[in-house]
């Protein structure tokens, strides 16, 4: 039993379960999943659909934070990626052409990778502090997105593009996309030495370099991966509303992503990282939003409500630690 | 050239000392322009945060050219300090009239007093300020409370056949003037008929994705919802997608009224997915230029001028759509 409680994922999972259970008071069939128009439908499906972009962004953020860095530019990358894809599709004579949509997706993801590499080079090659290096793109990136969309919301009407956030065989497509990305990352970092190398760079970049690890290359890869994840999230967000909103897509998502990583147990100082924790962290944040809406918290109070829950989630494991050290001291 | 012009303006101002300050109000002025016969207008815009704002900017620039007014345009990029700096620089340049859309309601006393001391009349557009009303000539813009009331009137019209109307409300960004006033006006006007009930209300932050997410949750927690009041088109458009995903028909199962009348909104209105749109008109350029000329000529203008706006029902949409500029 105590080993279960000591597991790092125990408290985040308890918080997630409690959050979901609270909804039952207001809505007894909160967990019910029905089929409407051949598609799965229910509050849990909403959490998966709306939480997938955050989960992806937080996944990339985890690796960046593991290298001892931080990526503030992800929100802007989300906006740019969606803007590029929708801008390209809107210029096509046939918006329902599959090849056009594939090109749009490829262009958006390629651009995201370039932006990530830019962040990585600034941090790893020029030695600019990560918070400053990525702040540049946080500010400029949203401008770039608005430039692409000419400050307007580009609405598209493309069935193939809609699938990214839609349903396939009744299942929401974002769930397998997110699952594959998480699985792929877990495989690459936990079944090869890559994860260990990343943790070593985050633990001590200079020492890692001296033992022959290419710190700079690894960091550039981490920022590139983070931007790629943000790019995919951007496609999901814009596909969800069939439109590119350069002004508000991905706004403040970097803060939610960092929060998800921290709730998941990864230290902001870098070093060890926990992908499973990040996934649960992202689910907690999205469930919180859904809970606020289900419980009918007034608009003016939502921020305070969120803050209180986050404080409790972050304090739960700490309180336990303080108490156990006290018990040890007295015995 | 510039220095010669400003010298001339200064000379004119000096010649008419005292009389000018009151001219905008009592219409007894002798102000004859800056020497070259062309009126100079300094305008500070909030930024370019939305399609509505872009259309607003374009309207002001185009109608200034059309009216033969020399426009000095400054974009504050969402920062009030930029806007204050812009107004100060207009005062130094001795423009004839200053106009701006205040980003926030507070913090304007000092700079407005400086403008008044320099005898330059100020016209506010789109949003108001919390300052002594004598410091500006007029406020030209939409009446957000009135927009909320108009939305209520539309509901009464489109829900005539319904016995009980359970309304879900998507509010704008919490704390913004349009969100507060559109909520207030709507609540006041809808209360006169007991069959209307606002069952749930929450902010959709004026964006499509938030509008969709909030509506998804509304539909699950309040299955009795059969009407939606969205305080802008974008939130309404997002909510329509959520309604369709829940297997209901927007416009029929759930009657929808939105505010703004942007092109995408009008398209949805024409398609029968929205039942009515309260227009919030960004094309206030021509009205503004007319006012600038009047103020310059020393005529009296109303303290509060409401932009010319329409209400669009489904039958009006198809006709209005082709000429929609934004």
């Amino acid at each position: 039993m105590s080993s279960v409680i000591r597991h790092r994922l125990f408290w985040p999972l308890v918080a997630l379960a409690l959050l979901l259970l609270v909804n039952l008071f207001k809505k007894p069939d909160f967990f019910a999943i029905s089929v409407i128009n051949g598609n799965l439908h229910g509050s849990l499906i909403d959490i998966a659909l709306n939480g997938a972009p955050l989960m992806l962004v937080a996944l990339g953020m985890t690796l960046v934070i593991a290298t001892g860095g931080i990526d503030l530019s992800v929100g802007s990358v989300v906006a740019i990626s969606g803007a590029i894809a929708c801008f390209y599709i809107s210029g096509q004579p046939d918006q329902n052409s599959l090849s056009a949509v594939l090109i749009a997706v490829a262009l958006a993801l390629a651009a995201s990778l370039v932006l990530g590499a830019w962040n990585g080079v600034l941090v790893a090659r020029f030695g600019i502090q990560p918070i400053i290096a990525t702040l540049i793109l946080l500010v400029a990136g949203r401008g770039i997105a608005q430039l692409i969309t000419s400050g307007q919301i580009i609405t598209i009407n493309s069935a193939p593009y809609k699938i990214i956030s839609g349903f396939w065989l009744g299942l929401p497509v974002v769930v397998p996309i997110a699952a594959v990305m998480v699985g792929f990352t877990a495989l690459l970092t936990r079944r090869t030495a890559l994860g260990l190398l990343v943790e070593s760079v985050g633990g001590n970049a200079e020492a890692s370099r001296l033992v022959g690890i290419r710190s700079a290359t690894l960091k550039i890869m981490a920022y590139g991966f983070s931007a790629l994840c943000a790019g995919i999230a951007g496609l999901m967000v814009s596909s969800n509303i069939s439109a590119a909103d350069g002004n508000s897509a991905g706004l403040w998502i970097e803060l939610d992503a960092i929060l998800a990583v921290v709730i998941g147990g990864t230290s902001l100082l870098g070093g060890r990282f926990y992908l499973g924790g990040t996934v649960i962290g992202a689910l907690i944040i999205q469930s919180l939003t859904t809970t606020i809406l289900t419980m009918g918290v007034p608009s003016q109070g939502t921020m305070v409500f969120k803050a209180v829950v986050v404080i409790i989630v972050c304090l739960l494991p700490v309180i336990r630690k303080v108490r156990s050290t006290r018990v040890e001291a007295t015995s | 050239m510039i220095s010669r012009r400003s010298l001339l303006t200064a000379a004119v101002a000096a010649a008419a000392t005292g009389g000018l300050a009151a001219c905008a109000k009592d219409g007894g002025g002798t102000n004859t322009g800056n020497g070259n016969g062309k009126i100079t207008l300094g305008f500070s815009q909030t930024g370019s945060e939305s399609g509505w704002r872009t259309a607003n900017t374009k309207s002001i620039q185009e109608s200034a050219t059309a009216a033969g007014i020399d426009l000095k345009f400054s974009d504050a990029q969402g920062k009030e300090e930029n806007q204050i700096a812009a107004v100060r620089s207009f005062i130094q340049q001795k423009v004839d009239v200053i106009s701006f859309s205040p980003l926030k309601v507070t913090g304007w006393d000092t700079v407005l007093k400086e403008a008044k001391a320099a005898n330059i009349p100020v016209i506010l557009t789109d949003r108001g300020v919390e300052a002594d009303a004598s410091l500006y000539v007029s406020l030209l813009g939409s009446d957000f409370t009135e927009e909320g009331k108009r939305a209520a009137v539309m509901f009464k019209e489109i829900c005539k056949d319904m016995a009980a109307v359970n309304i879900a409300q998507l509010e704008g960004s919490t704390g913004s003037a349009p969100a507060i006033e559109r909520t207030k006006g709507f609540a006041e006007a809808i209360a006169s008929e007991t069959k209307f009930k606002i069952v749930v209300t929450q902010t959709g932050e004026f964006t499509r994705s938030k509008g969709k997410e909030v509506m998804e949750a509304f539909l699950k927690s309040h299955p009795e919802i059969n009407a939606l009041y969205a305080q802008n088109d974008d939130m309404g458009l997002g909510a329509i997608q959520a309604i369709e995903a829940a297997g209901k028909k927007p416009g029929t199962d759930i009657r929808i009224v939105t505010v703004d009348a942007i092109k995408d909104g009008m398209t949805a209105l024409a398609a029968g997915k929205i039942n009515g749109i309260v227009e919030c008109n960004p094309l206030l350029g021509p009205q503004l230029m007319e006012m600038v000329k009047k103020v310059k000529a020393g005529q009296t203008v109303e303290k509060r001028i409401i932009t010319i706006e329409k209400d669009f029902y489904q039958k009006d949409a198809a006709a209005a759509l082709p000429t929609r500029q934004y």
Side-chain angles (χ1 to χ4, degrees), chain A residues 209-272:
Chain A
R209 196 184 61 80
L210 289 175
V211 298
I213 297 171
R214 296 171 139 199
S215 303
T217 315
L218 275 171
K219 278 187 183 175
I220 295 175
M221 280 170 64
Y223 283 94
F225 180 72
S226 171
L228 180 70
C229 288
I232 299 174
L235 296 176
M236 290 176 174
V237 168
S238 63
S239 161
N240 188 33
I241 54 168
S242 287
D245 185 347
N247 191 51
S248 66
L251 200 60
W252 310 125
I253 200 171
E254 60 276 356
L255 299 181
D256 277 349
I258 294 168
L259 191 59
V261 174
V262 172
I263 289 176
T266 303
S267 160
L268 278 181
L269 296 173
R272 302 196 68 179

Side-chain angles (χ1 to χ4, degrees), chain A residues 27 36-37 41-43 46 50 146 151-153 155 162 240-241 243 247-248 286 289 293 297 299-300 302, chain B residues 48-51 54 171 174 202-203 207-210 212-214 216-217 220-221 234 241 244-247 264:
Chain A
K27 191 170 171 290
I36 290 180
N37 298 338
H41 187 84
S43 298
D46 286 352
N50 294 321
Q146 284 179 322
Q152 308 278 354
I153 296 177
T155 308
K162 184 78 201 160
N240 188 33
I241 54 168
N247 191 51
S248 66
Q286 187 57 45
T289 308
L293 297 175
V297 179
S299 308
Q300 293 82 351
T302 50
Chain B
S48 54
E49 71 272 12
S50 64
T54 318
E171 302 162 30
T174 309
Q202 179 62 248
T203 175
T207 67
R208 283 190 203 188
S209 45
K210 204 69 195 171
K212 180 175 181 183
E213 190 179 346
V214 175
E216 280 171 353
K220 292 181 182 81
S221 58
D234 284 318
Q241 299 189 11
E244 285 173 339
D264 286 340

